Amino acid sequence: MNKLVKCFIVISLLMLSLTSVPQAAESEKETSWISSGQELGLGPWWKKTAHRFDPIPDPLLYHLEGSIAFTKLSGNVDAEIMKADADLFLRKRLLTSLTSFHSTANDTELNMKNKQITVDKYDFNQMLAYDISDKLSFGGGFMWKRDNARFLLDRWTYYLGANYSFFIDPPFILKLGAYYGYEDNTYDTDYIEEDSAEAAPLWDLPQVGGMPETYDSDGIRFMENMTIMLNERVVFLHSFDYMMYMKDSKYYHWNTAFTIQVGITKTISFFTRYEINYEKSLLAERYGNFFQAMKDHLNVYGYDVVAKDEAIIAGLKFSL
């Protein structure tokens, strides 16, 4: 991991030094050091490499996107579900930075059982990319994830690789990425072992023992981002992210999202999204074996570790 982080830092410094190399005089003198790109007529520049523009814009370009969705239920089940996302794009000539943060908070009260359930999920991603051509970019970054529904306290992912745009002109844009990565997972094993310690003696079952607190491995990561502009106001978006571990290829995780976005104003859109998150991990396998032992011993059903989470989300998106 340390070698990969050092490599990423060296490449980042190299990218920054390349952007500071004096460039040939441009045909038009820019009046500001920072710009959203709209006043320069660049359109959605964050979906294109810098080589698509002639001359390459010199100001620091920025683009901010955010979305929020909220659901409230009451009655036998009281629940508040909030999802918030934010993406910040920055570009200085050939170097592009993407900073993303996504969070989901779910507080549920089962009134008949007087039981409180809280689920928190957080994702943070920082990526740097250097544009080599109008279709190819090279870069890397790191990600952090927490998901207490999967007993995941921390997941740190570091990756280096390349993005290639097979289709670069609207209405159809398609980017594929391949990366070498390293992932370090830390699990909340105390909860699982306490749970099994209470249940095992009661039903004469073997306890869940030797549960790993951490699992780390090199891996191969693939990404896909697709945009289809159906008309001036309606856009279809699709993303796919897959990580397979090299230590043991039977463990992997992936997520995908399908989004329909409808423009309301220039900066506000309504969106609806269908998300799938799938994970096959060592922890889920060990915990699943404990549940299977319960079912075999007691001849009961209903205990299981579900690998796939699905969600349908609707909300508002803001773009600056």
Side-chain angles (χ1 to χ4, degrees), residues 159-170:
Y159 56 95
L160 283 172
N163 260 309
Y164 188 81
S165 299
F166 285 88
F167 300 94
I168 56 179
D169 291 311

Side-chain angles (χ1 to χ4, degrees), residues 125-182:
N125 178 34
Q126 175 59 57
M127 181 177 185
L128 288 176
Y130 185 79
D131 295 333
I132 299 174
S133 70
D134 62 346
K135 290 188 176 183
L136 180 64
S137 63
F138 173 80
F142 67 90
M143 301 175 65
W144 171 77
K145 181 181 180 68
R146 174 170 293 175
D147 184 352
N148 66 351
R150 295 184 180 276
F151 310 106
L152 182 63
L153 293 178
D154 293 291
R155 169 178 290 155
W156 289 95
T157 306
Y158 308 88
Y159 56 95
L160 283 172
N163 260 309
Y164 188 81
S165 299
F166 285 88
F167 300 94
I168 56 179
D169 291 311
F172 185 58
I173 300 173
L174 176 63
K175 290 184 179 181
L176 298 180
Y179 302 87
Y180 166 76
Y182 174 87

